[in-house]
Every structure is written in C-alpha cells, then in structure tokens.
Coordinates of all heavy atoms in Angstrom, one line a residue:
M1 N 55.8 -15.3 -46.3 CA 56.1 -14.3 -45.3 C 55.7 -14.7 -43.9 O 54.5 -15.1 -43.7 CB 55.6 -12.9 -45.7 CG 55.9 -11.9 -44.7 SD 55.0 -10.4 -45.1 CE 56.3 -9.2 -45.3
I2 N 56.6 -14.7 -43.0 CA 56.2 -15.0 -41.6 C 55.5 -13.9 -40.9 O 56.0 -12.7 -41.0 CB 57.5 -15.4 -40.8 CG1 58.1 -16.7 -41.5 CG2 57.2 -15.7 -39.4 CD1 59.5 -17.1 -40.9
A3 N 54.5 -14.2 -40.2 CA 53.7 -13.1 -39.5 C 54.6 -12.6 -38.4 O 55.2 -13.4 -37.6 CB 52.4 -13.7 -38.9
G4 N 54.7 -11.3 -38.2 CA 55.5 -10.7 -37.2 C 54.6 -9.7 -36.4 O 53.7 -9.1 -36.9
F5 N 55.0 -9.6 -35.1 CA 54.2 -8.7 -34.3 C 55.1 -7.6 -33.7 O 54.8 -7.1 -32.6 CB 53.5 -9.5 -33.2 CG 52.5 -10.4 -33.7 CD1 52.8 -11.8 -34.0 CD2 51.2 -10.0 -34.0 CE1 51.9 -12.6 -34.5 CE2 50.3 -10.9 -34.5 CZ 50.6 -12.2 -34.8
T6 N 56.2 -7.3 -34.3 CA 57.1 -6.4 -33.8 C 56.5 -5.0 -33.7 O 56.9 -4.2 -32.8 CB 58.4 -6.2 -34.6 OG1 58.0 -5.9 -36.0 CG2 59.2 -7.5 -34.6
H7 N 55.5 -4.6 -34.5 CA 54.9 -3.3 -34.4 C 54.1 -3.2 -33.1 O 53.9 -2.1 -32.5 CB 53.9 -3.1 -35.6 CG 52.8 -4.0 -35.6 ND1 53.0 -5.4 -35.9 CD2 51.5 -3.8 -35.4 CE1 51.8 -6.0 -35.9 NE2 50.9 -5.0 -35.6
L8 N 53.7 -4.4 -32.5 CA 52.9 -4.3 -31.3 C 53.8 -4.4 -30.0 O 53.6 -3.7 -29.0 CB 52.0 -5.6 -31.2 CG 50.9 -5.6 -32.2 CD1 50.2 -6.9 -32.1 CD2 50.0 -4.5 -32.1
F9 N 54.9 -5.1 -30.1 CA 55.8 -5.3 -29.0 C 57.2 -4.6 -29.1 O 58.0 -5.0 -28.3 CB 55.9 -6.8 -28.7 CG 54.6 -7.4 -28.5 CD1 54.1 -8.3 -29.5 CD2 53.8 -7.2 -27.4 CE1 52.8 -8.9 -29.4 CE2 52.6 -7.8 -27.2 CZ 52.1 -8.6 -28.2
S10 N 57.4 -3.7 -30.0 CA 58.7 -3.1 -30.1 C 59.0 -2.2 -28.9 O 60.2 -2.0 -28.6 CB 58.7 -2.2 -31.4 OG 57.8 -1.2 -31.3
S11 N 58.1 -1.7 -28.2 CA 58.3 -0.9 -27.0 C 57.8 -1.7 -25.8 O 56.7 -2.3 -25.8 CB 57.5 0.4 -27.1 OG 57.5 1.0 -25.8
P12 N 58.6 -1.7 -24.7 CA 58.2 -2.5 -23.6 C 56.9 -2.0 -22.9 O 56.2 -2.7 -22.2 CB 59.4 -2.5 -22.6 CG 60.2 -1.3 -23.1 CD 59.9 -1.1 -24.6
V13 N 56.6 -0.7 -23.1 CA 55.4 -0.2 -22.5 C 54.4 0.4 -23.5 O 53.2 0.6 -23.1 CB 55.7 0.9 -21.5 CG1 56.5 0.4 -20.3 CG2 56.5 2.0 -22.1
G14 N 54.7 0.6 -24.7 CA 53.8 1.3 -25.6 C 52.5 0.6 -25.9 O 51.5 1.2 -25.7
Y15 N 52.6 -0.7 -26.3 CA 51.4 -1.4 -26.6 C 50.5 -1.6 -25.3 O 49.3 -1.4 -25.4 CB 51.7 -2.8 -27.2 CG 50.5 -3.6 -27.4 CD1 49.7 -3.3 -28.5 CD2 50.1 -4.7 -26.6 CE1 48.5 -4.1 -28.8 CE2 49.0 -5.4 -26.9 CZ 48.2 -5.1 -28.0 OH 47.1 -5.9 -28.2
G16 N 51.1 -1.9 -24.2 CA 50.3 -2.1 -23.0 C 49.6 -0.9 -22.6 O 48.5 -0.9 -22.2
A17 N 50.3 0.3 -22.6 CA 49.7 1.5 -22.3 C 48.6 1.9 -23.2 O 47.5 2.4 -22.7 CB 50.8 2.7 -22.2
A18 N 48.8 1.7 -24.5 CA 47.7 2.0 -25.4 C 46.5 1.1 -25.2 O 45.4 1.6 -25.3 CB 48.3 1.9 -26.9
Y19 N 46.8 -0.2 -25.0 CA 45.6 -1.1 -24.8 C 44.9 -0.8 -23.5 O 43.7 -0.8 -23.5 CB 46.2 -2.5 -24.8 CG 45.0 -3.5 -24.8 CD1 44.4 -3.8 -26.0 CD2 44.6 -4.2 -23.7 CE1 43.4 -4.7 -26.1 CE2 43.6 -5.1 -23.7 CZ 43.0 -5.4 -24.9 OH 41.9 -6.3 -25.0
Y20 N 45.6 -0.4 -22.5 CA 44.9 -0.1 -21.2 C 44.0 1.1 -21.4 O 42.9 1.2 -21.0 CB 46.0 0.2 -20.1 CG 45.4 0.7 -18.9 CD1 44.9 -0.3 -17.9 CD2 45.2 2.0 -18.5 CE1 44.3 0.1 -16.8 CE2 44.6 2.4 -17.4 CZ 44.2 1.5 -16.5 OH 43.6 1.9 -15.3
S21 N 44.5 2.2 -22.1 CA 43.7 3.3 -22.3 C 42.4 3.0 -23.2 O 41.4 3.6 -22.9 CB 44.5 4.5 -23.0 OG 45.0 4.1 -24.2
Y22 N 42.6 2.1 -24.1 CA 41.5 1.7 -25.0 C 40.5 1.0 -24.1 O 39.3 1.2 -24.2 CB 42.0 0.8 -26.1 CG 40.9 0.1 -26.8 CD1 40.1 0.7 -27.7 CD2 40.7 -1.3 -26.6 CE1 39.1 0.1 -28.4 CE2 39.7 -2.0 -27.3 CZ 38.9 -1.3 -28.2 OH 37.9 -2.0 -28.8
K23 N 40.9 0.1 -23.2 CA 40.0 -0.7 -22.4 C 39.3 0.3 -21.4 O 38.1 0.1 -21.0 CB 40.7 -1.8 -21.6 CG 41.1 -2.9 -22.5 CD 40.0 -3.4 -23.4 CE 39.0 -4.4 -22.7 NZ 38.0 -4.9 -23.7
W24 N 40.1 1.3 -20.9 CA 39.5 2.2 -19.9 C 38.4 3.0 -20.6 O 37.4 3.3 -20.0 CB 40.6 3.1 -19.3 CG 40.0 4.0 -18.2 CD1 39.9 5.3 -18.2 CD2 39.4 3.6 -17.0 NE1 39.3 5.8 -17.1 CE2 39.0 4.7 -16.3 CE3 39.2 2.3 -16.4 CZ2 38.4 4.7 -15.1 CZ3 38.6 2.3 -15.2 CH2 38.2 3.4 -14.5
A25 N 38.6 3.4 -21.8 CA 37.6 4.2 -22.6 C 36.3 3.3 -22.7 O 35.2 3.8 -22.7 CB 38.1 4.6 -23.9
E26 N 36.5 2.0 -22.9 CA 35.4 1.1 -23.0 C 34.6 1.0 -21.7 O 33.4 0.9 -21.7 CB 35.8 -0.3 -23.4 CG 35.9 -0.6 -24.8 CD 36.1 -2.1 -25.1 OE1 37.2 -2.6 -24.9 OE2 35.1 -2.7 -25.5
V27 N 35.3 1.0 -20.6 CA 34.7 1.0 -19.2 C 33.8 2.3 -19.1 O 32.7 2.2 -18.7 CB 35.7 1.0 -18.1 CG1 35.1 1.3 -16.8 CG2 36.4 -0.4 -18.1
L28 N 34.4 3.4 -19.4 CA 33.7 4.7 -19.3 C 32.5 4.7 -20.2 O 31.4 5.2 -19.8 CB 34.6 5.9 -19.6 CG 35.8 6.1 -18.6 CD1 36.6 7.2 -19.1 CD2 35.3 6.2 -17.2
D29 N 32.6 4.2 -21.4 CA 31.5 4.2 -22.4 C 30.4 3.3 -21.8 O 29.2 3.7 -21.8 CB 32.0 3.6 -23.7 CG 30.9 3.2 -24.7 OD1 30.0 4.1 -24.9 OD2 30.9 2.1 -25.2
A30 N 30.7 2.1 -21.4 CA 29.7 1.1 -20.9 C 29.0 1.6 -19.7 O 27.8 1.6 -19.5 CB 30.4 -0.2 -20.6
D31 N 29.8 2.2 -18.8 CA 29.2 2.8 -17.5 C 28.3 4.0 -17.8 O 27.2 4.0 -17.2 CB 30.3 3.1 -16.5 CG 29.8 3.4 -15.2 OD1 28.8 2.7 -14.7 OD2 30.3 4.3 -14.5
A32 N 28.8 4.9 -18.6 CA 28.0 6.1 -18.9 C 26.6 5.7 -19.6 O 25.6 6.3 -19.3 CB 28.7 7.1 -19.7
F33 N 26.7 4.7 -20.4 CA 25.5 4.2 -21.1 C 24.4 3.7 -20.1 O 23.2 3.8 -20.3 CB 25.8 3.2 -22.1 CG 24.6 2.8 -23.0 CD1 24.1 3.7 -23.9 CD2 24.0 1.6 -22.8 CE1 22.9 3.4 -24.6 CE2 22.8 1.3 -23.5 CZ 22.3 2.2 -24.4
T34 N 24.9 3.2 -18.9 CA 23.9 2.7 -17.9 C 23.0 3.8 -17.5 O 21.8 3.6 -17.2 CB 24.6 2.1 -16.7 OG1 25.4 3.1 -16.0 CG2 25.5 0.9 -17.1
R35 N 23.5 5.0 -17.4 CA 22.6 6.1 -17.1 C 21.6 6.4 -18.1 O 20.4 6.7 -17.8 CB 23.5 7.4 -16.9 CG 22.7 8.6 -16.5 CD 23.3 9.3 -15.3 NE 22.4 10.4 -14.9 CZ 22.5 11.6 -15.1 NH1 23.6 12.1 -15.7 NH2 21.6 12.5 -14.8
F36 N 21.9 6.3 -19.4 CA 20.9 6.4 -20.4 C 19.9 5.3 -20.4 O 18.7 5.5 -20.6 CB 21.6 6.5 -21.8 CG 22.3 7.8 -22.1 CD1 23.6 8.0 -21.8 CD2 21.6 8.8 -22.7 CE1 24.2 9.2 -22.0 CE2 22.2 10.0 -22.9 CZ 23.5 10.2 -22.6
R37 N 20.4 4.1 -20.2 CA 19.6 2.9 -20.2 C 18.5 3.0 -19.0 O 17.4 2.7 -19.2 CB 20.4 1.6 -20.0 CG 19.5 0.4 -20.1 CD 20.4 -0.9 -20.1 NE 21.1 -1.0 -18.8 CZ 22.4 -1.3 -18.8 NH1 23.1 -1.6 -19.9 NH2 23.1 -1.3 -17.6
Q38 N 19.0 3.5 -17.9 CA 18.1 3.6 -16.7 C 17.0 4.7 -16.9 O 15.9 4.5 -16.4 CB 18.9 3.9 -15.4 CG 19.7 2.7 -15.0 CD 20.6 3.1 -13.9 OE1 20.8 4.2 -13.5 NE2 21.3 2.1 -13.3
S39 N 17.3 5.7 -17.6 CA 16.4 6.8 -17.8 C 15.7 6.8 -19.1 O 14.9 7.7 -19.4 CB 17.1 8.2 -17.6 OG 17.7 8.3 -16.4
G40 N 16.1 5.9 -20.0 CA 15.5 5.8 -21.3 C 16.6 6.3 -22.3 O 17.1 7.4 -22.1
V41 N 16.9 5.6 -23.3 CA 18.0 5.9 -24.2 C 17.8 7.2 -24.8 O 18.8 7.9 -25.1 CB 18.1 4.8 -25.2 CG1 19.2 5.1 -26.3 CG2 18.5 3.4 -24.6
F42 N 16.6 7.6 -25.0 CA 16.3 8.9 -25.7 C 15.9 10.0 -24.7 O 15.3 11.0 -25.1 CB 15.3 8.7 -26.8 CG 15.7 7.8 -27.9 CD1 15.1 6.6 -28.0 CD2 16.7 8.2 -28.8 CE1 15.5 5.7 -29.0 CE2 17.1 7.3 -29.8 CZ 16.5 6.1 -29.9
S43 N 16.3 9.9 -23.5 CA 16.0 10.9 -22.4 C 16.7 12.2 -22.8 O 17.9 12.3 -22.8 CB 16.5 10.4 -21.1 OG 16.4 11.4 -20.1
R44 N 15.9 13.2 -23.0 CA 16.4 14.5 -23.3 C 17.2 15.1 -22.1 O 18.2 15.7 -22.3 CB 15.3 15.5 -23.7 CG 15.7 16.8 -24.1 CD 14.6 17.7 -24.6 NE 15.0 19.0 -25.0 CZ 15.5 19.3 -26.2 NH1 15.6 18.4 -27.1 NH2 15.9 20.5 -26.4
E45 N 16.6 14.9 -20.9 CA 17.3 15.3 -19.7 C 18.7 14.8 -19.5 O 19.7 15.5 -19.3 CB 16.4 15.0 -18.5 CG 17.1 15.5 -17.2 CD 16.3 15.0 -15.9 OE1 15.1 14.5 -16.1 OE2 16.8 15.2 -14.8
V46 N 18.8 13.5 -19.7 CA 20.1 12.8 -19.5 C 21.1 13.3 -20.6 O 22.3 13.5 -20.4 CB 20.1 11.3 -19.4 CG1 21.4 10.7 -19.4 CG2 19.2 10.9 -18.2
G47 N 20.5 13.4 -21.8 CA 21.3 13.9 -23.0 C 21.9 15.2 -22.7 O 23.0 15.5 -23.0
M48 N 21.1 16.1 -22.2 CA 21.5 17.5 -22.0 C 22.5 17.5 -20.8 O 23.5 18.3 -20.9 CB 20.3 18.4 -21.6 CG 19.4 18.7 -22.8 SD 20.2 19.5 -24.2 CE 20.6 21.1 -23.5
Q49 N 22.4 16.7 -19.8 CA 23.3 16.6 -18.7 C 24.7 16.1 -19.2 O 25.7 16.6 -18.9 CB 22.8 15.7 -17.6 CG 21.7 16.4 -16.8 CD 21.1 15.5 -15.8 OE1 21.6 14.4 -15.5 NE2 20.1 16.0 -15.1
F50 N 24.6 15.1 -20.2 CA 25.9 14.6 -20.8 C 26.5 15.7 -21.6 O 27.7 15.9 -21.5 CB 25.6 13.4 -21.7 CG 26.8 12.8 -22.3 CD1 27.6 12.0 -21.6 CD2 27.0 13.1 -23.7 CE1 28.8 11.5 -22.2 CE2 28.2 12.5 -24.3 CZ 29.0 11.7 -23.5
R51 N 25.7 16.4 -22.3 CA 26.3 17.6 -23.1 C 26.9 18.6 -22.2 O 28.0 19.1 -22.5 CB 25.1 18.2 -24.0 CG 25.5 19.3 -24.8 CD 24.4 19.8 -25.6 NE 24.7 21.0 -26.3 CZ 23.8 21.8 -26.9 NH1 22.5 21.4 -27.0 NH2 24.2 22.8 -27.5
E52 N 26.2 19.0 -21.2 CA 26.6 20.1 -20.3 C 27.8 19.7 -19.5 O 28.8 20.5 -19.2 CB 25.5 20.6 -19.4 CG 24.4 21.3 -20.1 CD 23.1 21.5 -19.3 OE1 23.2 21.1 -18.1 OE2 22.1 21.9 -19.9
N53 N 27.8 18.4 -19.0 CA 28.9 18.0 -18.0 C 30.1 17.4 -18.7 O 31.2 17.4 -18.1 CB 28.3 17.0 -17.0 CG 27.4 17.6 -16.1 OD1 27.7 18.6 -15.4 ND2 26.1 17.2 -16.0
I54 N 30.0 16.9 -19.9 CA 31.1 16.2 -20.6 C 31.5 17.0 -21.9 O 32.6 17.5 -22.0 CB 30.7 14.8 -20.9 CG1 30.3 14.0 -19.7 CG2 31.9 14.1 -21.7 CD1 31.4 13.4 -18.8
L55 N 30.6 17.0 -22.8 CA 30.9 17.6 -24.1 C 31.3 19.0 -24.1 O 32.3 19.4 -24.7 CB 29.8 17.3 -25.1 CG 29.4 15.8 -25.3 CD1 28.3 15.7 -26.3 CD2 30.6 15.0 -25.8
A56 N 30.4 19.8 -23.5 CA 30.7 21.3 -23.5 C 31.9 21.7 -22.7 O 32.5 22.7 -23.0 CB 29.5 22.0 -22.9
K57 N 32.4 20.9 -21.8 CA 33.5 21.2 -21.0 C 34.8 20.9 -21.7 O 35.9 21.5 -21.4 CB 33.6 20.4 -19.7 CG 32.3 20.7 -18.8 CD 32.3 22.0 -18.2 CE 31.1 22.1 -17.3 NZ 31.0 23.2 -16.5
G58 N 34.8 20.0 -22.7 CA 36.0 19.7 -23.4 C 37.1 19.3 -22.5 O 37.0 18.5 -21.6
N59 N 38.3 19.9 -22.7 CA 39.5 19.6 -21.9 C 39.8 20.7 -20.9 O 40.9 20.9 -20.5 CB 40.7 19.4 -22.8 CG 41.8 18.7 -22.1 OD1 41.7 17.9 -21.2 ND2 43.0 19.0 -22.6
S60 N 38.7 21.3 -20.4 CA 38.9 22.5 -19.5 C 39.0 22.0 -18.1 O 39.4 22.8 -17.2 CB 37.6 23.4 -19.6 OG 36.5 22.7 -19.2
Q61 N 38.7 20.8 -17.7 CA 38.8 20.2 -16.4 C 39.3 18.8 -16.5 O 39.3 18.2 -17.5 CB 37.5 20.2 -15.7 CG 36.9 21.6 -15.4 CD 35.5 21.5 -14.8 OE1 34.8 20.5 -14.9 NE2 35.1 22.6 -14.2
D62 N 39.7 18.3 -15.3 CA 40.1 16.9 -15.2 C 39.0 16.0 -15.7 O 37.9 16.1 -15.3 CB 40.5 16.6 -13.8 CG 40.9 15.1 -13.6 OD1 41.3 14.5 -14.6 OD2 40.8 14.7 -12.5
P63 N 39.3 15.1 -16.7 CA 38.2 14.2 -17.2 C 37.5 13.4 -16.1 O 36.3 13.2 -16.2 CB 38.9 13.3 -18.2 CG 40.1 14.1 -18.6 CD 40.5 14.9 -17.4
A64 N 38.2 13.0 -15.1 CA 37.6 12.2 -14.0 C 36.6 13.1 -13.3 O 35.5 12.5 -12.9 CB 38.7 11.7 -13.1
E65 N 36.9 14.3 -13.1 CA 35.9 15.2 -12.5 C 34.7 15.4 -13.3 O 33.5 15.5 -12.8 CB 36.5 16.6 -12.1 CG 37.6 16.5 -11.0 CD 37.0 15.9 -9.7 OE1 35.9 16.3 -9.3 OE2 37.7 15.1 -9.0
L66 N 34.9 15.6 -14.6 CA 33.8 15.8 -15.5 C 32.9 14.5 -15.5 O 31.6 14.6 -15.5 CB 34.3 16.0 -17.0 CG 35.1 17.3 -17.2 CD1 35.6 17.3 -18.6 CD2 34.2 18.5 -16.8
Y67 N 33.5 13.3 -15.5 CA 32.7 12.1 -15.5 C 31.9 12.0 -14.2 O 30.8 11.7 -14.2 CB 33.7 10.9 -15.6 CG 32.9 9.6 -15.7 CD1 32.5 9.2 -17.0 CD2 32.6 8.8 -14.6 CE1 31.8 8.0 -17.1 CE2 31.9 7.7 -14.8 CZ 31.5 7.2 -16.0 OH 30.8 6.1 -16.1
R68 N 32.6 12.3 -13.0 CA 31.9 12.3 -11.8 C 30.7 13.3 -11.7 O 29.7 13.0 -11.1 CB 32.8 12.6 -10.6 CG 33.7 11.4 -10.2 CD 34.6 11.7 -9.0 NE 35.7 10.9 -9.1 CZ 36.9 11.3 -9.4 NH1 37.2 12.6 -9.8 NH2 38.0 10.5 -9.5
S69 N 30.9 14.4 -12.4 CA 29.8 15.4 -12.4 C 28.6 14.9 -13.1 O 27.5 15.2 -12.8 CB 30.2 16.8 -12.9 OG 30.6 16.7 -14.3
F70 N 28.9 14.1 -14.2 CA 27.8 13.5 -15.0 C 27.1 12.3 -14.3 O 25.9 12.2 -14.2 CB 28.3 13.1 -16.4 CG 27.2 12.4 -17.2 CD1 26.1 13.0 -17.6 CD2 27.5 11.0 -17.5 CE1 25.1 12.3 -18.3 CE2 26.5 10.3 -18.3 CZ 25.3 11.0 -18.6
M71 N 27.9 11.4 -13.8 CA 27.4 10.2 -13.2 C 27.1 10.3 -11.7 O 26.4 9.5 -11.2 CB 28.4 9.0 -13.4 CG 28.6 8.6 -14.8 SD 27.1 7.9 -15.6 CE 27.0 6.4 -14.7
G72 N 27.8 11.3 -11.0 CA 27.5 11.4 -9.6 C 28.3 10.4 -8.8 O 28.1 10.2 -7.6
R73 N 29.3 9.7 -9.4 CA 30.1 8.7 -8.8 C 31.3 8.4 -9.7 O 31.4 8.8 -10.8 CB 29.3 7.5 -8.5 CG 28.7 6.9 -9.8 CD 28.1 5.5 -9.5 NE 27.4 5.0 -10.7 CZ 28.0 4.5 -11.8 NH1 29.3 4.5 -11.9 NH2 27.3 4.0 -12.8
D74 N 32.2 7.6 -9.1 CA 33.3 7.1 -9.9 C 32.9 6.0 -10.9 O 31.8 5.4 -10.7 CB 34.4 6.5 -9.0 CG 35.2 7.5 -8.2 OD1 35.3 8.7 -8.7 OD2 35.6 7.2 -7.1
P75 N 33.6 5.7 -11.9 CA 33.2 4.7 -12.9 C 33.1 3.3 -12.2 O 33.8 3.0 -11.3 CB 34.4 4.7 -13.9 CG 35.1 6.0 -13.7 CD 34.9 6.4 -12.3
D76 N 32.2 2.6 -12.7 CA 31.9 1.2 -12.3 C 32.4 0.2 -13.3 O 31.9 0.2 -14.4 CB 30.4 1.0 -12.0 CG 30.1 -0.3 -11.4 OD1 31.0 -1.2 -11.2 OD2 28.9 -0.6 -11.2
L77 N 33.4 -0.5 -13.0 CA 34.0 -1.5 -13.9 C 33.0 -2.6 -14.3 O 33.1 -3.2 -15.4 CB 35.3 -2.1 -13.3 CG 36.4 -1.2 -12.9 CD1 37.4 -1.9 -12.1 CD2 36.9 -0.4 -14.0
K78 N 32.1 -2.9 -13.5 CA 31.1 -4.0 -13.7 C 30.3 -3.7 -15.0 O 29.9 -4.7 -15.7 CB 30.2 -4.2 -12.5 CG 29.4 -5.4 -12.7 CD 28.6 -5.7 -11.5 CE 27.8 -7.0 -11.7 NZ 26.8 -7.2 -10.6
A79 N 30.1 -2.5 -15.4 CA 29.3 -2.1 -16.5 C 29.9 -2.8 -17.8 O 29.2 -3.3 -18.6 CB 29.2 -0.6 -16.7
L80 N 31.2 -2.8 -17.9 CA 31.9 -3.4 -19.1 C 31.7 -4.9 -19.0 O 31.5 -5.6 -20.0 CB 33.3 -3.0 -19.2 CG 34.1 -3.6 -20.4 CD1 33.4 -3.2 -21.7 CD2 35.5 -3.2 -20.4
L81 N 31.8 -5.5 -17.8 CA 31.7 -6.9 -17.7 C 30.3 -7.4 -18.1 O 30.1 -8.4 -18.7 CB 32.0 -7.4 -16.2 CG 33.4 -7.1 -15.7 CD1 33.5 -7.5 -14.3 CD2 34.4 -7.9 -16.6
V82 N 29.3 -6.6 -17.7 CA 27.9 -6.9 -18.0 C 27.8 -6.8 -19.5 O 27.2 -7.7 -20.1 CB 26.9 -5.9 -17.3 CG1 25.5 -6.1 -17.9 CG2 26.9 -6.2 -15.8
R83 N 28.2 -5.7 -20.1 CA 28.1 -5.6 -21.6 C 28.8 -6.7 -22.4 O 28.4 -7.1 -23.4 CB 28.6 -4.2 -22.0 CG 28.4 -3.9 -23.5 CD 28.7 -2.5 -23.9 NE 30.1 -2.4 -24.0 CZ 30.7 -1.2 -24.4 NH1 29.9 -0.1 -24.5 NH2 32.0 -1.1 -24.5
S84 N 29.9 -7.2 -21.8 CA 30.7 -8.2 -22.4 C 30.1 -9.6 -22.2 O 30.6 -10.6 -22.6 CB 32.1 -8.2 -22.0 OG 32.7 -6.9 -22.3
G85 N 29.1 -9.7 -21.3 CA 28.5 -11.0 -21.0 C 29.2 -11.8 -19.9 O 29.0 -13.0 -19.8
L86 N 30.1 -11.1 -19.2 CA 30.8 -11.8 -18.2 C 30.3 -11.6 -16.8 O 30.8 -12.1 -15.8 CB 32.3 -11.2 -18.2 CG 33.0 -11.5 -19.5 CD1 34.4 -10.7 -19.5 CD2 33.2 -12.9 -19.8
A87 N 29.2 -10.8 -16.6 CA 28.5 -10.6 -15.4 C 27.1 -10.4 -15.7 O 26.7 -10.0 -16.8 CB 29.1 -9.5 -14.6
E88 N 26.2 -10.6 -14.7 CA 24.8 -10.3 -14.9 C 24.4 -8.9 -14.4 O 25.0 -8.4 -13.5 CB 24.0 -11.3 -14.1 CG 24.1 -12.7 -14.7 CD 23.1 -13.7 -14.0 OE1 22.1 -13.2 -13.6 OE2 23.4 -14.9 -14.0
F89 N 23.5 -8.3 -15.2 CA 23.0 -7.0 -14.8 C 22.2 -7.0 -13.6 O 21.3 -7.8 -13.4 CB 22.2 -6.4 -16.0 CG 21.6 -5.1 -15.7 CD1 22.3 -4.0 -15.7 CD2 20.2 -5.0 -15.4 CE1 21.7 -2.7 -15.4 CE2 19.6 -3.8 -15.1 CZ 20.4 -2.7 -15.1
Q90 N 22.5 -6.1 -12.7 CA 21.7 -5.8 -11.5 C 21.5 -4.3 -11.4 O 22.4 -3.6 -11.5 CB 22.4 -6.3 -10.2 CG 22.6 -7.8 -10.2 CD 23.4 -8.2 -9.0 OE1 24.1 -7.4 -8.4 NE2 23.3 -9.5 -8.7
S91 N 20.2 -3.9 -11.4 CA 19.9 -2.5 -11.4 C 20.5 -1.9 -10.1 O 20.4 -2.5 -9.0 CB 18.4 -2.2 -11.5 OG 17.8 -2.8 -10.4
V92 N 20.9 -0.7 -10.2 CA 21.5 0.1 -9.0 C 20.3 0.9 -8.4 O 19.6 1.6 -9.2 CB 22.7 0.9 -9.5 CG1 23.2 1.7 -8.3 CG2 23.7 0.1 -10.1
P93 N 20.2 0.9 -7.1 CA 19.0 1.7 -6.5 C 19.2 3.1 -6.7 O 20.2 3.7 -6.9 CB 19.1 1.3 -5.0 CG 20.3 0.5 -4.8 CD 20.9 0.1 -6.2

C-alpha cells in the first residue's frame, strides 16, 4: 500500500489552519509557564491567579484578554523558541 497524505491536504486551508492553532496553543503554554518558572513552579499565588484569570472565566471573555490579565502583557513567541532549544533563555526584568 502506498502511503498517502490526502487526509492532511484534502482541504487547501484545513490542515494549515489546524496546525497554526496547535502551534499557537504551544506558544501560549510555553509563555504562561514562564510565569510559574519565575515565581516557582508550585507558587500558590501564581496558581490562584491562573485559576482566577483563565480557568474560572472559561469562554466568558476574549481569550486574548484573559491571557493579558494573567500575564500582564501579550504572548511572547520567544518562550516557545527557548523551550524548543532554538533560543537561549534570558530572564525578563
């Protein structure tokens, strides 16, 4: 049987859009984790802020606004590059 990839490329935009959203979720994950890493992975304060600003809000507000309320800024793409070993970590003041 010849390997086929039609399930991936059957739609001109489907796979690309799904892959982009997956990678964007990775950016948000890597960046949000930097807050935990800076304050201590088991920081109760940061955990509660994550719970209050992200988890408890659910889909009640724009996700970008929820993220900004937790992080205090827009997402930083460099966090994923650092986690992937493509950039060096530099602490943010």
Side-chain angles (χ1 to χ4, degrees):
M1 178 186 236
I2 297 174
F5 297 96
T6 56
H7 65 289
L8 298 177
F9 302 108
S10 62
S11 167
V13 295
Y15 177 75
Y19 190 76
Y20 177 82
S21 64
Y22 169 75
K23 290 310 280 186
W24 185 245
E26 272 193 284
V27 168
L28 298 177
D29 168 51
D31 190 38
F33 187 71
T34 64
R35 180 130 188 254
F36 286 91
R37 186 176 58 228
Q38 289 170 353
S39 299
V41 175
F42 298 109
S43 168
R44 183 175 180 84
E45 178 184 351
V46 175
M48 290 302 290
Q49 288 175 3
F50 182 75
R51 179 180 172 188
E52 293 167 6
N53 291 302
I54 305 277
L55 300 177
K57 303 286 181 171
N59 196 28
S60 65
Q61 295 175 339
D62 178 23
E65 291 301 320
L66 296 176
Y67 188 86
R68 283 185 205 101
S69 68
F70 173 63
M71 292 297 288
R73 59 172 173 72
D74 286 330
D76 183 0
L77 303 174
K78 188 174 180 188
L80 181 59
L81 297 176
V82 169
R83 186 170 78 179
S84 301
L86 300 172
E88 291 189 29
F89 173 75
Q90 295 175 341
S91 62
V92 179

